[in-house]
Each structure stands twice: as structure tokens, then as C-alpha cells.
Amino acid sequence: MDLFEYVNEKNKETESPLAARMRPQTLEEIVGQEHILNENSLLYRAIAADQLSSVLFYGPPGTGKTTIARVIAHTTKAEFMQINATAAGKKDMEEVVEKAASAKGMYGKKTILFIDEIHRFNKSQQDYLLPFVEDGTLILIGATTENPYFEVNPALLSRSVIFELKPLTGEDIRKLILRALNSPKGLGGYKAQIDEDALEFLADLSGGDARRGLNAIELGVKTTKRDEDGIIHITLAVAQECIQKRAVRYDKDGDNHYDTISAFIKSMRGSDPDAVLYYLAKMLYSGESVTFIARRIIICASEDVGMADPNALQVAVSASLAVERVGMPEARIILAEAAVYVACAPKSNAGYMGINKALKCVEETGNLPVPLHLRDASYKGAAKLGHGFDYLYPHEFPKHYVNQQYLPDELVGKVFFEPGENGYEKKIREYMDDIKDKDASAL
């Protein structure tokens, strides 16, 4: 290390963000994630024994993905290399692979490659790594805020152990803030104290994100004047100024997106209008596309309400057209009305189940012939083929119904649609029973 590198490293120790300065160096220093880092866990034992295989760390920001990777870097005897997928290109990966191959061939030494934001790599970039992970040239550690089952190639997934990190608890954030206030490498030199209510506020408002909590306390300490006794006093008012607004974790391309829209749909299906409005508000607050939300309401109206209330689909489609014409912020009212209507409507999945049964039947039976009397008889010569012969026109019979065969011969008696007892489907069932009365039969 030359003089400039030495000075640069020393500056990092004092000028880097607090979260970087307080990053743990050992497993024992890590706060939270006990479900994967307790002393009996697979990950803890693998790191401690320096026998790590390829892994993927998946979880929200500020939960410790990079921290665990850095601990591995400090404890392993393997070569440790790091790249960030947001900036790295193929040339960077080729250099890593070349160095890893040399270390393995010349010294029999393993190489661990840590890729932060691995979901940013496209398919070809991920595919490039595959053979080197497979033959042991590289041990991959990937970190991602997105669900790896959506964002990482299946081939890499099958060769990696996935560890999900959870948001830190309020107690975890408290520990980290107090540690930072008292640590020499943190804010210990400032002689700062924090009120209990301010500490609770920051722990809660951090939303499970350690970086957010540490950034807030650092801002508070560095911008607050000392009291007469020389102490920097962090009050609730100071803490509130440091975090102006609760951040809603909702990446429109990520896992929280899928979780929130899933909860929104399931709440409509489950007839809970209050939960529906909450998840709708969460999506709108985070900037979700109103047209995307409208499409999901349409799907729910047809799949989960169906014929129990056919008007639900009309309401949903009308809402979709309206939000495109009106836009935000008024679109929130239209979406709320449609979502609440669907939530409060009687439910039936008979249509959904029916089409699935029919599709499975077609898949299993193939192209069964249409009965002759139902075939097109509008062209010259159709009669010679027997097409349309003996077809009974329902409007010529009482109740505009006549009992005749419509399904192919092989499927006579097969039932796909079974109306239930909810809402309009009850009327459908009663009507169908009525018209199928033997007195209405013409056969």
C-alpha cells in the first residue's frame, strides 16, 4: 500500500457513511437474522468452517446481505472478489474468472465472488457465470433485494442455497443505534445521547432497515448543537426532523410488488374491503400504475366473483376505462369504488373452474367431432353432408328451450359449469332447473 492508498483508507474510516463504518467484521457482531445465523444454523457453520458453497442472499435493503458477505471476506482463506451488477460488464467478469482460474490452477485456492444486486445482470451475463460456478472455479455469493425465483436464472438457482433475510426488528435497530453512538469508529467521539422516545421513534420509523436508522442518527448528531454541558442531545423533535416521511418499501419491479398485489387480490377475494383499501393505498402511495391496478380488479371480478354478480366485471371494466381518461389523483376514487364493489360482491369461481375443466378435457380428448346437427348449414351442399339436419331451434319451444345434444358424443353428460348458491348464480341454478323440467323436453 503506497502513501496515497494509506491516506485514502484512513479517510474512509472517518468520512464513510456511518452504516459503512459500523459494518460488522465477525459473525458475533451481526445483529438480527438469527433464523439463519444462530450457532447451529447451516450458514453460520459453513462460514465458521470456511466451507461455504454458492449462496444467494435475498431480502429488503439494510438487512445485512452485504454485511454477511463482508464477514465472509474477513474470515475465509479463499480469494474474495466483489463486483456490483449495476456497473460491471462482461470484461469485469472475464477478469474475475481469469484470476480465479489462475488461483485454482497454480495454488489450489478457491475464489469467492460476491455480486451485489445480482438481479441487475441479464440472462446472458448470468449464463456466463454458470460453467465456472458449476466446475468450482467460482463460489458465488449473490445479494438481491428481489425474489431470486423471479430474477435469477433457474440454472444458477439450482446450484445455490437461498437464504432469505428478514427486516430487522425494532429491538435490532435500537441495538445498532446505541452501538453507533458509543463506538469509537461510529459516533463515540461526539458525546451524544438520545432520549428513549427518540430512540423508539427511529427504531420504528426505520422500517427494519439498519442503514436508514444509522443514517438518521448520524444526521441528527452532526447537525445538532451541543448543550451547555457539552453533550449533543437527540430529542424526539430532532429524530422527527431526521426522518421526514415513512418510506413504504414497494419496488414496482420487485418482490414487494408481487406480495402487495397478491394481498390486494386475496383481500378482494376474501371480501375484506378495509384490507382492499389499505393495499390499494399502499400501491398508489408508492406510485404503482393505475392501469395495472385496474387490470387486476378486472381479473378478480371475472375469476372470483364471476356469475355470482355479473355486474362486477362491468364495474371493473368501466373503472379501467375511466382511470385512463381521468388519471391521478382522481383515479384513486374510481379504483377504490371498483375494488370495494368487487370485495363486497357475492363470490363464485364456477366460471373459472368451468373453463379450466373444459381446457383439461380438450387437452385429454383432442379434437372431438362436432355433432352433425350443430354443424354449419349455411352453404350450398351442407344438407348433402347432413350438416344441420334435425337441429331444433330453441325459440320455437316453450320457455325458449329444447333438450337436445350439444356436446360431442364422447362427452354427453359431462358437466363443466356448476352454479353455486351465491348471488345471481342461485337464480341461474333455479332457472336452469326450471327449463330442464321434463315437460319442456322435445325429445
Side-chain angles (χ1 to χ4, degrees):
M1 181 182 294
D2 61 25
L3 177 61
F4 293 104
E5 290 175 330
Y6 174 78
V7 172
N8 187 45
E9 288 300 314
K10 296 303 289 183
N11 286 339
K12 283 183 180 179
E13 293 178 7
T14 57
E15 296 178 5
S16 295
L18 180 61
R21 303 200 307 274
M22 292 301 300
R23 183 160 281 156
Q25 304 295 308
T26 67
L27 284 169
E28 291 69 27
E29 293 178 0
I30 295 177
V31 174
Q33 311 307 335
E34 287 85 0
H35 64 292
I36 60 172
L37 284 176
N38 66 79
E39 292 187 1
N40 296 318
S41 69
L42 170 65
L43 180 59
Y44 186 101
R45 289 184 281 111
I47 295 173
D50 198 10
Q51 293 296 319
L52 195 70
S53 59
S54 292
V55 297
L56 291 172
F57 295 134
Y58 147 56
T63 52
K65 299 181 294 297
T66 303
T67 292
I68 297 174
R70 298 309 303 172
V71 167
I72 293 170
H74 285 288
T75 57
T76 184
K77 294 178 181 178
E79 292 291 324
F80 187 92
M81 306 179 75
Q82 176 177 351
I83 58 176
N84 192 303
T86 59
K90 188 174 181 181
K91 183 178 180 182
D92 300 291
M93 290 191 289
E94 289 174 343
E95 292 176 357
V96 167
V97 169
E98 183 179 348
K99 291 178 181 177
S102 297
K104 182 181 179 184
M106 298 177 65
Y107 308 106
K109 201 169 186 179
K110 298 182 294 184
T111 297
I112 295 175
L113 172 61
F114 172 53
I115 303 179
D116 201 8
E117 306 288 342
I118 191 171
H119 60 277
R120 300 285 187 181
F121 272 165
N122 59 37
K123 185 178 185 300
S124 63
Q125 289 173 306
Q126 293 184 32
D127 284 342
Y128 175 79
L129 294 170
L130 185 59
F132 307 110
V133 172
E134 197 166 35
D135 67 12
T137 301
L138 294 173
I139 296 172
L140 174 66
I141 300 177
T144 175
T145 55
E146 314 302 341
N147 191 324
Y149 291 100
F150 294 122
E151 304 295 339
V152 179
N153 289 1
L156 276 181
L157 284 177
S158 67
R159 291 161 178 79
S160 306
V161 181
I162 299 173
F163 293 100
E164 181 178 1
L165 281 71
K166 299 178 181 179
L168 299 183
T169 65
E171 185 58 32
D172 292 334
I173 303 295
R174 282 174 58 93
K175 289 179 182 178
L176 291 172
I177 291 174
L178 292 174
R179 179 189 291 179
L181 284 173
N182 295 298
S183 172
K185 65 179 181 180
L187 301 169
Y190 286 85
K191 295 182 180 180
Q193 295 179 357
I194 185 169
D195 290 350
E196 179 63 27
D197 56 354
L199 181 59
E200 286 293 332
F201 176 80
L202 289 181
D204 177 52
L205 266 289
S206 295
D209 185 335
R211 190 179 300 110
R212 181 170 168 80
L214 292 174
N215 287 346
I217 192 62
E218 183 177 30
L219 178 62
V221 169
K222 290 186 175 181
T223 59
T224 302
K225 292 183 179 180
R226 297 182 186 277
D227 290 342
E228 294 179 358
D229 59 2
I231 301 296
I232 295 176
H233 191 199
I234 304 300
T235 64
L236 178 59
V238 172
Q240 289 173 334
E241 287 182 335
C242 294
I243 298 184
Q244 293 291 325
K245 178 181 178 183
R246 182 187 292 271
V248 176
R249 184 174 294 122
Y250 183 87
D251 185 336
K252 287 186 286 182
D253 297 317
D255 192 37
N256 283 284
H257 159 84
Y258 294 106
D259 288 344
T260 304
I261 194 65
S262 174
F264 177 63
I265 293 167
K266 288 173 181 173
S267 298
M268 282 192 290
R269 180 184 298 143
S271 301
D272 189 333
D274 299 307
V276 164
L277 289 175
Y278 169 76
Y279 291 115
L280 174 60
K282 185 176 180 181
M283 289 186 288
L284 293 174
Y285 186 86
S286 303
E288 179 59 84
S289 165
V290 292
T291 56
F292 172 82
I293 297 172
R295 287 196 299 271
R296 305 314 300 181
I297 297 174
I298 291 173
I299 293 169
C300 190
S302 57
E303 178 179 335
D304 297 304
V305 176
M307 294 303 296
D309 183 357
N311 285 330
L313 183 57
Q314 296 180 5
V315 170
V317 171
S318 296
S320 178
L321 295 173
V323 297
E324 290 184 12
R325 295 183 181 181
V326 174
M328 286 292 283
E330 288 81 4
R332 76 191 189 283
I333 308 168
I334 300 167
L335 291 172
E337 179 181 342
V340 167
Y341 187 100
V342 171
C344 296
K347 303 296 188 296
S348 171
N349 67 344
Y352 168 77
M353 297 296 292
I355 187 59
N356 286 347
K357 289 178 185 177
L359 285 169
K360 185 177 181 180
C361 180
V362 170
E363 181 182 352
E364 293 173 349
T365 59
N367 186 24
L368 297 177
V370 174
L372 287 176
H373 63 283
L374 299 183
R375 296 188 188 184
D376 182 15
S378 62
Y379 60 94
K380 188 176 181 181
K384 294 180 180 179
L385 297 174
H387 293 187
F389 184 72
D390 283 341
Y391 170 67
L392 302 175
Y393 187 54
H395 297 298
E396 295 178 348
F397 294 85
K399 299 182 181 179
H400 298 259
Y401 172 81
V402 59
N403 185 11
Q404 67 179 326
Q405 178 185 336
Y406 291 99
L407 283 169
D409 293 343
E410 296 84 349
L411 300 180
V412 171
K414 188 78 171 177
V415 176
F416 297 112
F417 177 63
E418 300 182 64
E421 297 294 331
N422 277 352
Y424 187 69
E425 278 196 1
K426 184 177 182 180
K427 293 184 178 180
I428 293 175
R429 178 182 288 276
E430 293 172 351
Y431 170 75
M432 295 300 290
D433 289 341
D434 179 51
I435 63 171
K436 289 183 179 181
D437 185 272
K438 289 184 179 180
D439 293 339
S441 175
L443 296 181

